[in-house]
Amino acid sequence: MRLLLCCLGLAMLFGSCLACPTACSCSVKKNGRLLAECAYKDLQEVPKGLSSNVTILTLSANRIGWLGRGSFAEVPEVQSLWLGYNQIGVVEPGAFASLVHLKNLDLSHNKISDFPWQDLRNLSGLQILKMNNNRLAGLPRDAFPSLKDLRSLWLNDNELTTLAEGTFDNLPSLSQLQLFNNPFNCSCKVFWLKKWTENTSVSITKGGSTLCAAPGRLKGKAVTDIPDHHCVAPSAQLTYLSNLDNAVTYDGLTLTLHCSVAGSPPPEIRWKIQTSATRRRLEISGPNVARDGNGKQSPQRFLVFKNGTMAIPKFSKEDEGIYTCLAVNDVGTREVSVNVALAGSENPAEDLLRDDPQASHLGGGSCYKGDEMDPSGAGEKLVIVYHMPRGSKSGAGGAVPKLRFGSLLLALSVAVCC
């Protein structure tokens, strides 16, 4: 009798482990894993009634079109999930977030255009991810966060036209990547991918088929064949101007900075300003002064012109701080900074040269060009602006020349460039 009860107990326990929907076939593998085989069953949704101990779930080749937040709530232990060759077009956020034991995920050959990439943050043990043959038109830069064990990533046969630089940076174990048959626009935005493929140890399957669909001159060429001279990272140099006879005239001292940039495509110029008056960093993304010198919007404290020049009229102690010019194009960003301070002296040139023999004195009635930033340096160049009163006299008793009245004195140190 005791033996019979023991056998019945084992049977009940074994039966509960193999709870299985009628459309599926469930079994125990030799390695002890529980398999739920539900492929080719014409299913329109994830079936209910699966055992919580299932570790391998096969749902391939059905007609599933939607995955909801609770679609896999019954199988929290699943390690391999096969969903290829369905009609999945909608994946709700949270659909995969609870599957923390997942190692293999196959979503290939579906209709996915929008995917909850944040779900992958919980899947730190994921090793294989197949997203090929879908309708993905883009990926966020942080699409694959903290996937330290991911070895194989399939993204081929989608609608990807570009990829953000650094997309694969957080995948230290990646050894296989498939990107072919995507309509890449080989602008300089994907130039980083060319450089990355040249230096990575990752096997990029069928790399010759990772072709450009645009622009026309590169159509049909491999991404790895984008000409280097078409994409040049930006460079930037700051010049300090003692410019008392500006095309736009203002009363008092006007500090003028000019940012010269180069690169391909031509870089956009932006400014970052940190002063005691602004309290927080001010960012100016483009010119705010029209050709005639009038502000495009309300009156501006910092006047930014299309040619890369910034003018600060009536420069005062409140305007002291760090002024940064950024050159930005599709290849990258380069920036140079200057720390500007205001001082006063009866003979500023002599004082500065006495304190720093390497300092140079810049001034002039028109546009007198100052030193340029060394783009390979580090640190900040210091500009000391001396504002002389109009009534000051020279040592010889004559009036102070116009040069002395708003001169720029540069204390030469090492330039900054990032």
Side-chain angles (χ1 to χ4, degrees):
M1 184 67 175
R2 182 179 298 176
L3 180 61
L4 178 60
L5 291 174
C6 184
C7 290
L8 288 173
L10 288 173
M12 291 176 64
L13 178 63
F14 189 68
S16 66
C17 290
L18 292 178
C20 196
T22 55
C24 305
S25 172
C26 303
S27 61
V28 180
K29 306 291 287 183
K30 289 183 179 180
N31 57 12
R33 295 181 179 179
L34 301 184
L35 166 66
E37 175 62 68
C38 310
Y40 296 95
K41 301 298 182 180
D42 206 32
L43 297 173
Q44 298 185 37
E45 61 181 12
V46 178
K48 302 297 183 183
L50 290 163
S51 169
S52 62
N53 294 328
V54 167
T55 54
I56 304 173
L57 176 57
T58 302
L59 290 163
S60 304
N62 282 291
R63 293 196 297 125
I64 300 172
W66 169 84
L67 296 176
R69 187 178 182 86
S71 292
F72 304 104
E74 293 183 340
V75 288
E77 303 296 322
V78 70
Q79 297 179 19
S80 297
L81 180 56
W82 310 111
L83 287 158
Y85 292 93
N86 274 281
Q87 299 177 21
I88 300 170
V90 176
V91 183
E92 288 187 354
F96 301 104
S98 63
L99 304 182
V100 296
H101 303 288
L102 201 60
K103 294 183 178 179
N104 307 304
L105 177 59
D106 180 9
L107 286 162
S108 62
H109 295 272
N110 278 287
K111 300 177 181 179
I112 300 171
S113 59
D114 190 18
F115 184 78
W117 300 102
Q118 64 272 19
D119 280 16
L120 300 182
R121 295 183 182 277
N122 294 337
L123 311 185
S124 58
L126 198 64
Q127 297 177 5
I128 297 175
L129 176 60
K130 294 185 176 182
M131 298 285 291
N132 53 294
N133 293 87
N134 275 283
R135 298 176 180 177
L136 298 173
L139 303 174
R141 186 187 182 282
D142 59 349
F144 310 111
S146 307
L147 300 182
K148 58 182 177 58
D149 295 329
L150 191 69
R151 300 194 308 262
S152 182
L153 176 60
W154 297 36
L155 294 169
N156 55 285
D157 292 278
N158 274 284
E159 297 175 10
L160 299 173
T161 59
T162 188
L163 288 172
E165 184 171 1
T167 298
F168 310 117
D169 284 357
N170 295 323
L171 304 175
S173 300
L174 190 65
S175 59
Q176 182 189 31
L177 174 64
Q178 298 200 11
L179 286 173
F180 58 91
N181 291 346
N182 278 290
F184 282 111
N185 181 346
C186 293
S187 69
C188 293
K189 289 183 178 180
V190 298
F191 187 68
W192 73 270
L193 184 60
K194 165 191 166 82
K195 294 298 184 182
W196 184 80
T197 57
E198 291 173 349
N199 297 302
T200 185
S201 60
V202 177
S203 173
I204 303 177
T205 308
K206 296 186 179 180
S209 297
T210 307
L211 305 179
C212 304
R217 57 187 166 79
L218 295 176
K219 186 175 182 179
K221 291 184 177 293
V223 171
T224 52
D225 291 337
I226 300 175
D228 287 1
H229 66 274
H230 286 176
C231 303
V232 180
S235 62
Q237 291 182 323
L238 266 178
T239 304
Y240 322 104
L241 306 177
S242 177
N243 189 358
L244 302 181
D245 293 333
N246 267 3
V248 182
T249 303
Y250 304 94
D251 293 333
L253 174 67
T254 297
L255 174 66
T256 306
L257 304 175
H258 181 72
C259 187
S260 301
V261 300
S264 180
E268 170 191 350
I269 297 176
R270 304 174 187 171
W271 292 90
K272 291 189 296 188
I273 303 166
Q274 180 70 64
T275 69
S276 58
T278 58
R279 296 184 181 274
R280 58 184 178 82
R281 186 171 63 185
L282 174 67
E283 297 191 8
I284 303 175
S285 59
N288 57 21
V289 177
R291 288 177 178 268
D292 59 4
N294 295 319
K296 290 184 177 180
Q297 302 172 354
S298 58
Q300 304 290 331
R301 178 71 192 99
F302 305 99
L303 305 177
V304 177
F305 298 83
K306 187 175 181 180
N307 67 351
T309 296
M310 175 191 289
I312 305 103
K314 299 181 181 178
F315 189 85
S316 67
K317 291 289 288 184
E318 290 187 346
D319 299 314
E320 290 182 331
I322 299 174
Y323 293 77
T324 301
C325 168
L326 295 90
V328 182
N329 69 7
D330 291 340
V331 186
T333 300
R334 184 65 66 95
E335 67 178 56
V336 286
S337 297
V338 63
N339 194 349
V340 183
L342 183 66
S345 171
E346 289 300 319
N347 197 346
E350 291 182 5
D351 289 349
L352 183 60
L353 291 172
R354 185 186 310 116
D355 295 337
D356 184 353
Q358 295 184 5
S360 66
H361 175 208
L362 300 183
S366 184
C367 294
Y368 192 98
K369 186 174 181 181
D371 277 3
E372 296 175 340
M373 306 294 283
D374 177 3
S376 63
E380 288 173 358
K381 178 166 286 188
L382 174 65
V383 176
I384 301 179
V385 182
Y386 285 87
H387 186 195
M388 300 301 298
R390 284 188 181 272
S392 297
K393 302 295 183 178
S394 68
V400 176
K402 194 174 185 180
L403 165 62
R404 295 277 303 282
F405 173 55
S407 59
L408 281 177
L409 298 174
L410 306 188
L412 298 185
S413 60
V414 189
V416 64
C417 187
C418 301

